[in-house]
Amino acid sequence: MKFAKQLETEAEDIPSEWRPYLIQYKALKKLIAKVAEEIESRGLSTSLLHEVLDEEPVTTVEEDDCIPKIRYYFTGEPPNVKPNIEFTYDSEEPKVQQVLSNLFKLDQKVENPKLEFRKSVNNKDFFALSTNGQDDQVITTPAIRNQRRNSTVTLVKGLLNLTLEERERLKEEASEPAEEEQVHKKLEEKKQLKSLVIELEQDDEFFKMLLEELSQAAMLQNVTTQKFKHDISDLETRMTKVASPNQKTDMYNWRQIFSLYMDAQIFQGRAETDRSFRTVERAKEQLEWFIKQLDQTHILDKLKTKESKFAFKQFMALNNELITIKHYQMLNQTAMRKILKKHDKRSGLTASQSFPEIVCTHHLFSPELAHILYSTITNKLTTIIPQPEDYACPVCMNVAWRPIRLSCQHVFCVRCLIKAQKNGMRSCPMCRHPTAVKNATALNLDEGLQNFLKMYFPQEIKDKKRDNEREQAIEDVQAMTGKKYTTEELMRMNQPSNGKCIIM
């Protein structure tokens, strides 16, 4: 499938109000034809330009020393940039003088000059390929077009050929190490350097349109980004109400939703071996996985309030919008890369190399934008409801009920700390602080954290208390009977009872 058709097809996934801000690939493609026609109709050869501009410089000789030389570049600042071809040559070189003499000879058979002289600045002569409005009429008929091509721009074509000849000569001389010093000596003797700059008017129109397209895309992206951040803040305010500890049931439902969401890794991997940004296709797949998990657990049916259900719809809308932003970025990036490649192929120029250097497109196409917005979602929304693993005791891996904060600032539940002290442990198992465990007392109880855990983890604390009581009861029985139970017996004793008393 050709890219223009592919772009139209994929644009259907973009909101209709965004589509006018996609790079207009077809319109730019038509301008490329005019660029190629302008170059060919004025006697230049696109194939010759390809050969000269794509040629690698001689590696043993400085690039600036390769005279005559040609370069394609831009002047000005965005959005007012102008494409130019510049020839640098030695005006005292006999071959160049012969070519130069042809520039200012008016061909009697042609009504207009081959190049239109614009100005001279610091040994640079500026010309334009097109002359005036009449010129376009002059070259419309095949006969006049052939006549113009027969009387080609001899200077430009001559310089192009001389550039290739000089590079071949330098390659041959540089291939012989004994003569390398002579090569540099010859190059140093060249002094009378001048430049001829040709301003490309049709190429100028192409890049004006492309820059306008990029400007419009950047404007939409900025507006969309600000709206996205505002919507996140709005949802954050809503979430603090619908998932507050006062709404205990929905708080636990949302905790499960966010746990599945983080496991889905929709926009970025979380594993040590994979922290890459997801492609659009992969992000869609992971979002579908997330929705499938929600359906299997029926968690959405358990949401109690209308506000919670509305908040979930808003949450999903933000994720879909972020995928759309990534897709929009990808389409524009691909369109620009493709159109510049086509421009170079048809015109013989090298815009795909030089244009991105003067136009900062990093903010338009960088995955950092999606990463920043995704981080905003995770930092603002998922942290509203704390997860139990973030407050777990590193020993028993349950919520650190009655949290004891050691002198090294690590937190353990009081039960695990007491057992560690009974076993003679002195240092912190996390950071190896030499006396952190030994010196811990009831004064190390973090009351602020304890109140926080009571508020956000009531069910986990209830389960922790029950486990502590059962474990304490087993220890008491062992102390009274002097019997040591096997691991299997302890596990059986730790299982919840069904309420019946069984006498053995």
Side-chain angles (χ1 to χ4, degrees), residues 71-83:
R71 71 184 181 110
Y72 173 73
Y73 69 103
F74 293 87
T75 57
E77 295 291 334
N80 300 312
V81 299
K82 287 187 173 297

Side-chain angles (χ1 to χ4, degrees), residues 83 128 130 169 175 186 197 224 236 254 257 277 282 290 393 424 462 470 494:
S130 60
R169 184 184 65 80
S175 63
K186 289 180 180 179
V197 179
T224 303
E236 180 186 18
W254 274 104
I257 290 172
F277 296 121
R282 179 74 183 277
F290 171 60
C393 168
K462 183 179 178 180
R470 184 178 293 112
N494 267 316

Side-chain angles (χ1 to χ4, degrees), residues 321-343:
E321 186 173 0
L322 185 51
I323 290 178
T324 302
I325 291 174
K326 285 176 64 69
H327 195 188
Y328 173 78
Q329 276 188 315
M330 183 270 290
L331 289 178
N332 270 337
Q333 182 181 25
T334 306
M336 191 184 87
R337 178 173 54 82
K338 292 274 189 180
I339 202 66
L340 288 177
K341 184 178 179 181
K342 186 169 287 292
H343 170 277

Side-chain angles (χ1 to χ4, degrees), residues 10 15 48 58 69 134 166 185 246 268 291 308 313 366 432 452 471:
E10 294 200 34
L48 194 56
V58 181
K69 68 176 181 179
Q134 296 178 350
E166 181 69 6
K185 185 177 180 181
N246 296 329
Q268 186 179 13
I291 295 172
S308 272
K313 289 181 179 179
S366 172
R432 302 302 177 189
F452 176 85
E471 188 174 347

Side-chain angles (χ1 to χ4, degrees), residues 273-465:
T273 56
D274 179 21
R275 294 192 179 275
S276 60
F277 296 121
R278 304 302 191 207
T279 62
V280 174
E281 293 75 16
R282 179 74 183 277
K284 288 180 179 180
E285 290 175 1
Q286 295 305 113
L287 185 61
E288 289 176 3
W289 180 89
F290 171 60
I291 295 172
K292 184 178 180 180
Q293 296 302 309
L294 293 176
D295 291 340
Q296 290 178 351
T297 57
H298 304 287
I299 190 66
L300 299 181
D301 297 333
K302 299 176 184 178
L303 292 175
K304 295 293 184 182
T305 65
K306 291 182 179 179
E307 289 78 8
S308 272
K309 294 177 181 179
F310 181 81
F312 178 76
K313 289 181 179 179
Q314 192 174 358
F315 176 70
M316 290 302 296
L318 283 172
N319 280 274
N320 282 309
E321 186 173 0
L322 185 51
I323 290 178
T324 302
I325 291 174
K326 285 176 64 69
H327 195 188
Y328 173 78
Q329 276 188 315
M330 183 270 290
L331 289 178
N332 270 337
Q333 182 181 25
T334 306
M336 191 184 87
R337 178 173 54 82
K338 292 274 189 180
I339 202 66
L340 288 177
K341 184 178 179 181
K342 186 169 287 292
H343 170 277
D344 292 357
K345 183 177 180 181
R346 291 289 305 277
S347 67
L349 304 174
T350 54
S352 56
Q353 300 174 22
S354 51
F355 182 72
E357 294 177 0
I358 65 163
V359 180
C360 183
T361 58
H362 179 74
H363 68 288
L364 272 175
F365 306 136
S366 172
E368 285 294 328
L369 174 63
H371 175 62
I372 291 171
L373 296 181
Y374 172 63
S375 297
T376 306
I377 291 178
T378 54
N379 293 336
K380 285 196 170 186
L381 299 183
T382 59
T383 54
I384 291 174
I385 306 172
Q387 296 293 328
E389 55 267 23
D390 296 330
Y391 298 90
C393 168
V395 177
C396 65
M397 301 308 295
N398 294 318
V399 171
W401 174 234
R402 295 201 177 280
I404 302 297
R405 188 173 295 277
L406 306 183
S407 57
C408 60
Q409 299 305 307
H410 288 112
V411 176
F412 295 81
C413 67
V414 67
R415 184 73 185 164
C416 291
L417 181 70
I418 291 173
K419 288 194 289 186
Q421 289 178 334
K422 284 183 178 180
N423 292 330
M425 183 180 290
R426 300 168 60 88
S427 61
C428 171
M430 301 296 292
C431 66
R432 302 302 177 189
H433 187 288
T435 59
V437 171
K438 177 189 175 185
N439 296 336
T441 67
L443 297 177
N444 291 87
L445 179 67
D446 190 331
E447 294 185 0
L449 179 57
Q450 179 171 266
N451 293 332
F452 176 85
L453 297 177
K454 278 183 181 180
M455 183 181 300
Y456 283 98
F457 303 101
Q459 185 59 50
E460 288 82 358
I461 288 175
K462 183 179 178 180
D463 295 340
K464 181 74 172 179
K465 283 181 177 179

